[in-house]
Amino acid sequence: FISHSSKERTRATDICNVLEKNGISCWIAPRNVIGGMPYAEEIVHAIKDCKIILLIASASINASEQIMNEIEIAVNNSKIILPFKIDEVEYNDSYKYYLNRKHWIEAVPNPKDFYSLLVEEIKYLLSSENVDSDTINDTYLQTLKERNRQELIAKTQDKRLSFGLSIKNDEYSDDNHFYEYLKRIDV
């Protein structure tokens, strides 16, 4: 189920086409709403019938009550929600309540550069019998976590300098020692 603002309809349709070309069937409004049926009812049924909610997250979602309704229905039906952030969106408090603990794909500045990653992650989620938070032995997720960690390091290394200072005198002199009393200062 692709949840998107009407302002992002072109991007959502583009993403839908990419996913379907890669063998992932999608439900997207208004394309899949059956004529003559109640629009809201069709959306609720589609959410209940899907496995994953792909949220096209942009600044325009904060003003959309419809998307908030879709996310609330998804949460209440224990659906996987995958936010795909296509711009530097800061969730409003309602979205923070539902989404702050969800991992997202940061597709900024050019979302198209992240379509292959999106396809890869959705295929993984669809192939998993039960997606569980206890994924410590899952090599694919470990690889993703390491790649995400490396990307974060690369993005922030030129913008941030961190160093540690021991608050009390310490007899250890090696560079690898983790001090018991440590103060972190970010510059």
Side-chain angles (χ1 to χ4, degrees):
F1 183 97
I2 299 176
S3 179
H4 65 285
S5 163
S6 59
K7 293 178 182 174
E8 305 299 343
R9 181 172 292 163
T10 302
R11 173 76 65 195
T13 301
D14 189 30
I15 290 169
C16 181
N17 291 336
V18 168
L19 294 174
E20 290 181 333
K21 283 179 184 172
N22 283 278
I24 301 168
S25 61
C26 299
W27 193 100
I28 187 170
R31 180 189 80 178
N32 294 100
V33 176
I34 298 171
M37 297 298 291
Y39 198 86
E41 189 175 308
E42 288 286 294
I43 288 174
V44 171
H45 287 281
I47 292 170
K48 286 181 176 180
D49 291 343
C50 78
K51 184 169 181 180
I52 300 170
I53 304 295
L54 174 61
L55 171 63
I56 310 300
S58 65
S60 58
I61 69 168
N62 284 324
S64 174
E65 289 292 320
Q66 309 313 327
I67 295 174
M68 178 50 60
N69 291 340
E70 293 170 0
I71 296 303
E72 185 174 9
I73 292 164
V75 168
N76 290 337
N77 285 277
S78 302
K79 300 300 176 178
I80 297 168
I81 301 171
L82 176 59
F84 187 70
K85 289 188 171 187
I86 62 171
D87 62 25
E88 298 287 340
V89 61
E90 171 82 24
Y91 295 135
N92 65 26
D93 289 345
S94 295
Y95 284 104
K96 285 178 185 176
Y97 181 81
Y98 291 113
L99 300 175
N100 257 7
R101 295 181 60 195
K102 300 280 183 197
H103 181 68
W104 60 84
I105 297 174
E106 188 84 32
V108 177
N110 186 4
K112 287 184 179 186
D113 292 344
F114 297 87
Y115 285 179
S116 60
L117 175 63
L118 179 63
V119 168
E120 182 182 336
E121 290 193 12
I122 289 177
K123 282 185 174 185
Y124 171 79
L125 292 169
L126 289 171
S127 69
S128 301
E129 285 299 314
N130 293 309
V131 177
D132 189 1
S133 58
D134 183 18
T135 55
I136 195 147
N137 295 323
D138 191 320
T139 16
Y140 176 75
L141 286 183
Q142 288 174 341
T143 304
L144 278 179
K145 285 179 184 177
E146 180 58 23
R147 184 182 65 214
N148 290 342
R149 189 177 80 72
Q150 292 300 327
E151 286 176 5
L152 182 61
I153 289 169
K155 281 183 182 178
T156 61
Q157 69 185 1
D158 62 337
K159 298 176 184 166
R160 178 175 125 175
L161 174 63
S162 294
F163 57 93
L165 301 171
S166 178
I167 294 175
K168 76 180 209 182
N169 197 4
D170 198 317
E171 62 189 74
Y172 298 101
S173 61
D174 67 299
D175 292 335
N176 298 317
H177 179 69
F178 290 93
Y179 295 93
E180 184 178 348
Y181 303 98
L182 190 70
K183 180 174 182 166
R184 180 183 171 135
I185 300 172
D186 284 358
V187 180

